[in-house]
């Protein structure tokens, strides 16, 4: 639900947004008007403002019972059936109308309870996700939840951050923001602090950073001038209120439902027209036709799916996996290829500064000092909060160095970006002499230096071969310089800073688990190929090939798709190159998951079938991901893949039942209605049959799943489901017709006895078949159902057999049957299940021969809805 921000209304005369007004003022004027300071607010003042302005939120998230109920009753067939039942009540058929109404109410209630519980689970999971920003409170950098930001807060921006409010910029250092989500522009906007003349358009706010946009390069500091729905992004989100994008699983579910709906419409139309041609009453014919339609359509399929997903999300949450959209669990089960970064998945993710390796006249302390100067901190009051891991590790290990650093002053800087893979800075030393310092990937820094000896290059190669993370540092005096040159050259290589990130003890075991699930793992890293090969070899990965970013650029899309399949490691890759690799792998029909946590991973996360990030990731990576790992652990991801396949397997059980015995029984009823002088089952009896059948299947989410079904990726195959229906539906109909013959010729049954006999046989065959279709193996002896499923199914069969003898028998139109009928019933059910087992063997043998990989087409255009989700609070 979208919020209405609790702030004073904007002037109706011009309706100019706060950020557009602030763009025309200088920084001092904006800070003064907001009643804040350049050092930010005090904690007490911030709390007072939060009480006044409310949370920085666009949406409220809570389970909404009325919305869930509407989803249950909006089925057009149900609505038409209810209307027809009301008409029948007015013409004197009040008992039938009441029976139908009660059965429909119970059926809708079952679906409502299960879906509402699932929504509450989703809300509970949302509460565990945190989106934070760095602000200045009490003159110190503090990380707070984005919903706690208030007007007047001074906010620190860094690469990868999603801007948490509309800001008037106070300081910028090479700041560029991707504003496409607000303006539609594909090129990043360069930012400054200079005011803009006049009343600028949204795309001309060069001195402002807008909520929801992404810091693509550089850094900055800004003051919040608007929050929540008062922001430019908030206005768009409120006006759009976009729906969540559709996943592959939801698309398959929709195709299946449409498939059955078409069959239901064709079948019921034929029945209704045929009944009218036979001269039967219009109301009775319409009720019977609609009851058949309800029997065919998978009415409780959403409830079964929701219950499965909710149970799966709770199990994953216990393993510290938060699924942002629980339906994505199903897509996770389809995964057969994972592309992951190296740090934190194969390694511990704890970066430690090991040592300095000086070159030439440089010393260890001098090399560390230069490395600290080339970080994005205030040199006079440095803080490691919000720094990249390597820089944070360097500052943590160099506690004795800050005194000399404070004597330097920064004149200019070119922040780190993932294309150039380095940071450049111009500082003046304590004597006022300018000095250029460059720090970054050795492959990027060395070409800027005077010739480097073969000995020093060999030393770099040796460091890489140990698996260490290596950063090169170079410098040169720059007399008289006031800014960095566009193309710095002539630097002197001062040495290498060496960092360690040890291999995870359980990495090999986690990879083995993924391999057992037929999920192949590839590595995409910004590190050198030598480092990546060393790490992968150490944990036992079979490295089949390596591609660097430059080699990827040399391929066209077709050749890259072929090469990517044969490659294990993609090294020194840029964000665009990672995204190309993901797209190439998906072109080969693979269901690709991508695990990443950096700003350079966002494009690849969007391209993947399933985007996976971690709780410590940068904002833009968490926004792009479908699920968040609270612990960066491939073993937990293997649990997620298994859970996705378990849920899909249990969902398919319900689907296969609906397309076998359930469809067969409704088809039999349709044929019987044309050839018998009476209706084979009354409309209320059909609905009761459907209710009992569906009730037995609500335990499917608890069912056990064979290990063999977890070992292979799982996805929708409508053609296979259609073949299943065409094979098993007629088998069910054969035994229905056998029951018809038994009742008509052996027992000479009257209409009420006929209906009672077929009702019991129908319930027995419809529900007991679950024991066969739930497994590819022999049921009970080699694959056992869960206790809950077994009890539910047997209980429903017992209730169905009891109803003709119950006090409700007259109301429902049943008649007690002789004991001999039940002997015949047992014989027919046994024969039916044996024939189903034989057909099942043939079906799955053929399926294994014909099943092929299908291409996935993931398209997530609804970026505004996804970005807006981070600015949400739980409704009171």
């Amino acid at each position: 639900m979208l919020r209405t921000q609790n702030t004073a209304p904007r002037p109706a005369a011009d309706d100019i947004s706060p950020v557009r007004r602030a763009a025309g003022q200088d920084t001092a004027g904006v800070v003064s008007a907001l009643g804040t300071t350049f050092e930010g607010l005090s904690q007490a003042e911030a709390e007072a403002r939060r009480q006044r302005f409310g949370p920085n939120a666009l949406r409220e998230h809570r389970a909404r019972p009325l919305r869930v109920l509407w989803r249950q009753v909006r089925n057009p067939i149900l609505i038409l059936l209810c209307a027809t039942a009301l008409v029948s009540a007015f013409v004197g058929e009040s008992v039938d109308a009441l029976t139908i109404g009660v059965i429909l109410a119970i059926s809708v209630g079952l679906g409502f309870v299960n879906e509402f519980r699932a929504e509450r689970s989703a809300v509970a999971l949302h509460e565990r996700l945190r989106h934070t920003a760095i602000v200045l409170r009490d003159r110190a950098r503090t990380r707070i939840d984005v919903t706690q930001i208030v007007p007047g807060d001074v906010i620190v921006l860094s690469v990868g951050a999603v801007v948490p409010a509309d800001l008037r910029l106070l300081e910028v250092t090479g700041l560029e923001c991707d504003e496409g989500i607000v303006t539609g522009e594909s090129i990043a906007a360069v930012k400054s602090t200079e005011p803009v003349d006049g009343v600028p358009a949204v795309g001309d706010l060069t001195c402002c950073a807008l909520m929801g946009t992404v810091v693509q390069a550089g850094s900055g500091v800004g003051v919040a001038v608007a929050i929540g729905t008062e922001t430019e992004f908030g206005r768009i989100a409120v006006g759009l209120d976009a729906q969540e994008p559709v996943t592959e699983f939801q698309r398959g579910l929709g195709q299946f439902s449409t498939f059955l709906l078409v069959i239901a419409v064709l079948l019921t139309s034929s029945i209704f027209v045929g009944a009218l041609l036979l001269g039967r009453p219009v109301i009775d014919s319409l009720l019977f036709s609609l009851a058949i339609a309800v029997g065919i359509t998978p009415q409780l399929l959403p409830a079964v799916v929701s219950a499965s997903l909710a149970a799966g999300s709770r199990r994953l949450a216990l393993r510290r996996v938060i699924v942002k959209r629980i339906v994505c669990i199903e897509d996770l089960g389809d995964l057969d290829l994972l592309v992951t970064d190296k740090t934190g998945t194969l390694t511990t993710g704890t970066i430690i500064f090991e040592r300095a390796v000086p070159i030439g006249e440089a010393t260890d302390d001098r090399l560390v000092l230069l490395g600290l100067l080339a970080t994005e901190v205030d040199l006079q009051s440095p803080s490691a909060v919000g720094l990249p891991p390597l820089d944070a590790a360097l500052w943590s290990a160099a506690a004795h160095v800050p005194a000399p650093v404070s004597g330097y002053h920064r004149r200019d800087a070119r922040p780190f970006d993932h294309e150039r893979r380095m940071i450049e800075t111009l500082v003046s030393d304590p004597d006022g002499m300018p000095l250029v310092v460059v720090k970054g990937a050795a492959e990027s820094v060395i070409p800027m230096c005077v010739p480097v000896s073969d000995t020093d290059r060999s030393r770099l190669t040796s460091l890489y071969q140990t698996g260490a993370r290596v950063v090169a540092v170079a410098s040169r005096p720059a007399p008289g310089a006031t800014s960095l040159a566009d193309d710095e050259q002539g630097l002197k290589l001062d040495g290498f800073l060496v960092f360690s990130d040890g291999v995870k003890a359980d990495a090999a075991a986690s990879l083995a688990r993924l391999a057992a699930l037929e999920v192949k793992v590839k590595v995409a890293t910004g590190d050198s190929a030598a480092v990546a090969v060393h790490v992968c070899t150490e944990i036992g990965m079979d490295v089949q090939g390596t591609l660097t970013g430059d080699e990827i650029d040399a391929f066209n899309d077709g050749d890259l798709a072929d090469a990517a399949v044969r490659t294990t490691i993609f090294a020194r890759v840029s964000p665009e190159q990672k995204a190309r690799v993901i797209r190439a792998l998906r072109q080969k029909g693979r269901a690709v998951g991508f695990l990443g946590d950096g700003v350079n991973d966002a494009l690849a996360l969007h391209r993947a079938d399933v985007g996976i990030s971690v709780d410590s990731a940068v904002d833009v990576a968490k926004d792009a991901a479908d699920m968040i790992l609270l612990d960066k652990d491939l073993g937990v991801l293997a649990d997620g893949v298994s859970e996705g396949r378990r849920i899909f397997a249990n969902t398919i059980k319900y689907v296969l039942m609906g397309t076998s015995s359930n469809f067969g029984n409704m088809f039999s009823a349709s044929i019987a209605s044309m050839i018998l002088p009476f209706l084979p089952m009354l409309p209320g009896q059909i609905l009761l049959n459907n209710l009992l059948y569906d009730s037995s299947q609500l335990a499917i989410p608890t069912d056990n799943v064979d290990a063999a079904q977890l070992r292979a990726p799982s996805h929708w195959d409508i053609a296979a489901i259609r073949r299943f229906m065409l094979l098993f539906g007629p088998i069910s109909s054969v035994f229905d017709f056998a029951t018809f013959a038994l009742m008509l010729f052996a027992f000479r049954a009257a209409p009420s006895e006929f209906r009672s006999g077929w009702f019991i046989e129908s319930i027995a065959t419809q529900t007991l078949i679950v024991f066969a279709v739930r497994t590819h193996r022999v049921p009970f002896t080699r694959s056992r159902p869960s206790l809950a499923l077994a009890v539910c199914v047997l209980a429903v069969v017992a209730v169905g057999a009891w109803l003709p003898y119950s006090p409700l028998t007259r109301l429902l139109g049943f008649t007690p049957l002789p004991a001999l009928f039940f002997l015949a019933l047992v014989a027919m059910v046994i024969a039916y299940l044996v024939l189903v087992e034989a057909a099942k063997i043939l079906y799955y043998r053929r399926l294994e021969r014909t099943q092929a990989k299908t291409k996935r087409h993931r398209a997530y255009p609804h970026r505004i809805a996804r970005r807006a989700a981070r600015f949400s609070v739980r409704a009171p």
Side-chain angles (χ1 to χ4, degrees):
M1 177 182 178
L2 293 171
R3 292 181 57 88
T4 301
Q5 193 68 28
N6 181 25
T7 55
R10 294 183 295 272
D14 50 20
D15 197 31
I16 300 174
S17 65
V19 71
R20 293 169 67 195
R21 286 200 195 91
Q25 300 176 268
D26 61 26
T27 55
V30 172
V31 169
S32 175
L34 289 168
T36 185
T37 68
F38 284 89
E39 290 78 29
L41 300 169
S42 67
Q43 189 62 44
E45 175 62 19
E47 181 58 32
R49 294 192 181 200
R50 197 165 77 87
Q51 295 297 323
R52 175 186 170 193
F53 294 107
N56 178 33
L58 303 177
R59 301 182 183 275
E60 293 176 337
H61 53 273
R62 66 180 176 190
R64 300 188 175 278
L66 292 179
R67 186 176 297 176
V68 176
L69 183 60
W70 169 242
R71 288 202 296 266
Q72 303 303 311
V73 301
R74 68 183 178 183
N75 184 322
I77 295 176
L78 285 184
I79 295 172
L80 188 56
L81 186 57
C82 288
T84 309
L86 288 174
V87 172
S88 67
F90 280 113
V91 298
E93 300 291 341
S94 56
V95 174
D96 285 349
L98 180 62
T99 303
I100 292 171
V102 169
I103 292 171
L104 287 179
I106 295 173
S107 181
V108 168
L110 285 173
F112 169 79
V113 169
N114 278 276
E115 286 209 53
F116 186 61
R117 287 179 59 194
E119 284 217 355
R120 292 182 64 183
S121 295
V123 170
L125 289 177
H126 192 285
E127 287 295 299
R128 298 185 62 173
L129 285 176
R130 287 199 70 218
H131 301 286
T132 60
I134 298 174
V135 302
L136 299 182
R137 293 271 177 91
D138 293 326
R139 301 193 175 192
R141 288 190 176 194
T142 305
R143 191 177 290 276
I144 65 170
D145 194 284
V146 293
T147 61
Q148 297 177 2
I149 290 172
V150 297
D153 261 326
V154 174
I155 299 167
V156 179
L157 301 176
S158 58
V159 172
V162 174
V163 180
D166 277 356
L167 310 181
R168 172 64 167 89
L169 294 169
L170 307 178
E171 302 173 18
V172 297
T173 304
L175 183 65
E176 297 180 15
C177 292
D178 177 1
E179 297 183 340
I181 200 164
V182 176
T183 65
E185 292 292 332
S186 58
I187 300 174
V190 178
K191 298 297 181 178
S192 71
T193 59
E194 294 301 316
V196 180
D197 294 333
V199 181
V202 175
D204 298 326
L205 296 172
T206 55
C207 61
C208 301
L210 304 177
M211 174 193 260
T213 62
V214 178
V215 178
Q216 193 172 81
S219 60
V221 177
V223 59
V225 297
I227 62 173
T229 56
E230 292 294 296
T231 63
E232 296 291 342
F233 176 72
R235 291 179 171 193
I236 296 172
V238 169
L240 182 63
D241 195 15
Q243 297 296 311
E244 286 284 1
V246 175
T247 68
E248 283 296 317
F249 173 75
Q250 288 173 311
R251 190 174 292 113
L253 202 62
Q255 290 173 352
F256 169 70
S257 298
T258 301
F259 166 63
L260 279 192
L261 185 60
V262 169
I263 293 175
V265 169
L266 292 175
L267 198 57
T268 52
S269 299
S270 301
I271 294 169
F272 182 63
V273 171
L276 293 180
L277 292 175
L278 291 172
R280 291 177 179 165
V282 174
I283 294 295
D284 289 349
S285 300
L286 185 57
L287 283 173
F288 180 79
S289 301
L290 293 175
I292 290 291
V294 172
I296 291 176
T297 53
Q299 188 178 342
L300 283 192
L301 180 58
V304 170
V305 172
S306 296
S308 296
L309 291 172
S313 66
R314 287 192 295 269
R315 282 191 289 266
L316 287 178
L318 292 176
R319 294 302 308 270
R320 297 177 61 76
V321 179
I322 304 301
V323 185
K324 290 168 66 177
R325 299 179 59 220
I326 62 174
V327 74
C328 291
I329 299 175
E330 301 271 7
D331 284 345
L332 187 60
D334 196 13
L335 209 66
D336 61 3
L337 178 63
L338 174 69
V339 181
T340 178
D341 63 353
K342 173 176 63 67
T343 305
T345 51
L346 307 181
T347 65
T348 62
T350 303
I351 309 296
I352 299 173
F353 174 62
E354 289 285 347
R355 66 188 189 278
V357 180
I359 290 176
E361 299 176 357
T363 64
D364 287 10
D365 286 347
R366 174 68 177 175
L367 186 57
V368 172
L369 172 64
L370 292 174
L372 293 174
L373 291 174
T375 54
E376 295 183 49
V377 299
D378 183 342
L379 298 179
Q380 275 60 59
S381 56
S383 169
V385 176
L387 286 179
L390 290 174
D391 287 346
L394 186 61
W395 276 101
S396 297
H400 62 289
V401 180
V405 170
S406 62
Y408 288 76
H409 296 272
R410 182 174 288 119
R411 294 187 175 188
D412 193 15
R414 192 168 290 132
F416 180 87
D417 69 68
H418 291 278
E419 293 292 335
R420 298 166 58 252
R421 299 199 298 272
M422 60 181 161
I423 179 174
E424 302 172 59
T425 184
L426 174 66
V427 297
S428 55
D429 64 17
D431 297 326
M433 293 297 296
L435 176 70
V436 172
V437 183
V438 176
K439 181 179 73 175
E443 293 84 349
S444 299
V445 173
I446 288 177
M448 302 168 66
C449 299
V450 297
V452 176
S453 69
D454 291 340
T455 301
D456 293 331
R457 291 180 183 273
S458 297
R459 186 182 302 181
L460 174 63
T461 302
S462 299
L463 290 172
Y464 280 150
Q465 289 173 344
T466 66
R469 302 187 67 171
V470 182
V471 174
V473 180
S475 64
R476 72 170 178 85
T482 58
S483 63
L484 289 165
D486 290 336
D487 184 18
E488 289 288 348
Q489 294 293 328
L491 301 169
K492 180 185 70 174
L493 183 64
D494 293 290
F496 307 111
L497 300 173
V498 182
F499 300 82
S500 66
D501 182 14
V503 170
K504 274 189 174 180
D506 60 352
S510 298
L511 289 172
R513 286 188 60 197
L514 288 170
L517 294 169
E518 297 186 13
V519 177
K520 194 169 184 178
V521 177
K522 298 179 183 290
V523 176
T525 178
D527 274 349
S528 72
V531 171
V533 169
H534 175 87
V535 170
C536 291
T537 303
E538 188 174 346
I539 60 176
M541 282 185 69
D542 180 18
V543 179
Q544 297 178 344
T546 301
L547 282 178
T548 64
D550 291 339
E551 291 169 335
I552 289 171
D553 284 340
F555 285 113
N556 60 39
D557 288 346
D559 292 339
L560 178 59
D562 293 331
V565 172
R566 301 190 299 267
T567 302
T568 303
I569 296 172
F570 305 93
R572 293 296 191 205
V573 284
S574 69
E576 289 76 14
Q577 289 162 348
K578 286 184 182 181
R580 275 195 73 201
V581 168
I582 297 298
R583 186 171 61 248
L585 291 169
R586 293 181 70 233
Q587 286 175 352
K588 287 295 184 179
R590 308 303 293 263
V592 182
F594 182 79
L595 173 57
D597 60 359
V599 63
N600 57 325
D601 296 321
L603 279 176
L605 286 165
H606 274 297
R607 287 277 192 273
D609 291 288
V610 181
I612 308 156
S613 194
V614 294
D615 195 38
S616 57
V618 298
D619 292 347
V620 68
K622 286 199 287 188
D623 272 356
D626 298 305
M627 56 195 313
I628 306 294
L629 308 182
L630 298 184
D631 298 316
K632 200 173 184 182
D633 182 0
L634 289 180
V636 174
L637 188 58
D639 291 336
V641 172
S642 295
E643 195 59 47
R645 293 178 185 176
R646 185 185 313 279
I647 292 170
F648 186 86
N650 282 336
T651 302
I652 283 294
K653 291 171 189 176
Y654 181 89
V655 168
L656 295 182
M657 289 184 66
T659 53
S660 56
S661 63
N662 189 36
F663 170 77
N665 286 345
M666 294 303 103
F667 180 77
S668 302
S670 305
I671 299 299
S673 69
M674 299 293 187
I675 61 177
L676 293 176
F678 54 86
L679 291 178
M681 212 182 285
L682 297 176
Q685 292 170 345
I686 292 176
L687 295 176
L688 179 59
N689 178 294
N690 190 59
L691 175 63
L692 290 174
Y693 159 75
D694 277 337
S695 299
S696 71
Q697 306 317 305
L698 287 176
I700 281 180
T702 70
D703 192 27
N704 303 320
V705 176
D706 296 342
Q709 290 178 269
L710 300 179
R711 281 199 291 268
S714 53
H715 55 271
W716 284 96
D717 186 345
I718 299 299
I721 294 172
R722 188 184 302 115
R723 289 193 297 269
F724 191 94
M725 181 187 73
L726 294 176
L727 175 61
F728 290 90
I731 292 175
S732 176
S733 292
V734 166
F735 282 87
D736 288 333
F737 293 135
T739 303
F740 297 165
L742 177 71
M743 299 306 298
L744 290 173
F745 303 118
F747 292 104
R748 306 290 180 180
S752 61
E753 291 175 311
F754 181 96
R755 292 164 184 150
S756 300
W758 188 44
F759 181 88
I760 296 173
E761 185 269 345
S762 176
I763 283 291
T765 55
Q766 275 184 283
T767 54
L768 291 175
I769 194 178
V770 72
F771 296 130
V773 301
R774 60 167 295 277
T775 177
H776 297 186
R777 311 173 76 184
V778 178
F780 295 105
T781 58
R782 300 188 64 187
S783 176
R784 295 182 179 180
S786 68
L787 179 62
L789 181 62
V791 169
C792 281
V793 169
L794 296 177
V796 164
V797 173
V799 169
W802 168 77
L803 281 174
Y805 304 89
S806 72
L808 300 174
T809 183
R810 278 184 171 279
L811 179 65
L812 298 174
F814 292 133
T815 299
L817 297 168
L820 191 59
F821 165 79
F822 289 97
L823 292 176
L825 176 65
V826 170
M828 281 196 299
V829 168
I830 292 174
Y832 172 65
L833 294 178
V834 169
L835 184 56
V836 165
E837 275 299 306
K840 186 177 74 174
I841 294 172
L842 295 175
Y843 172 80
Y844 284 116
R845 281 179 181 173
R846 182 184 177 191
L847 185 65
E848 290 174 1
R849 293 195 300 267
T850 60
Q851 208 167 34
K853 295 279 185 185
T854 57
K855 290 186 178 181
R856 283 80 177 174
H857 302 281
R858 182 182 196 240
Y860 279 7
H862 306 286
R863 297 168 59 208
I864 290 177
R866 302 188 77 185
R867 187 68 50 79
R870 73 172 25 246
F871 304 106
S872 62
V873 291
R874 186 165 190 169

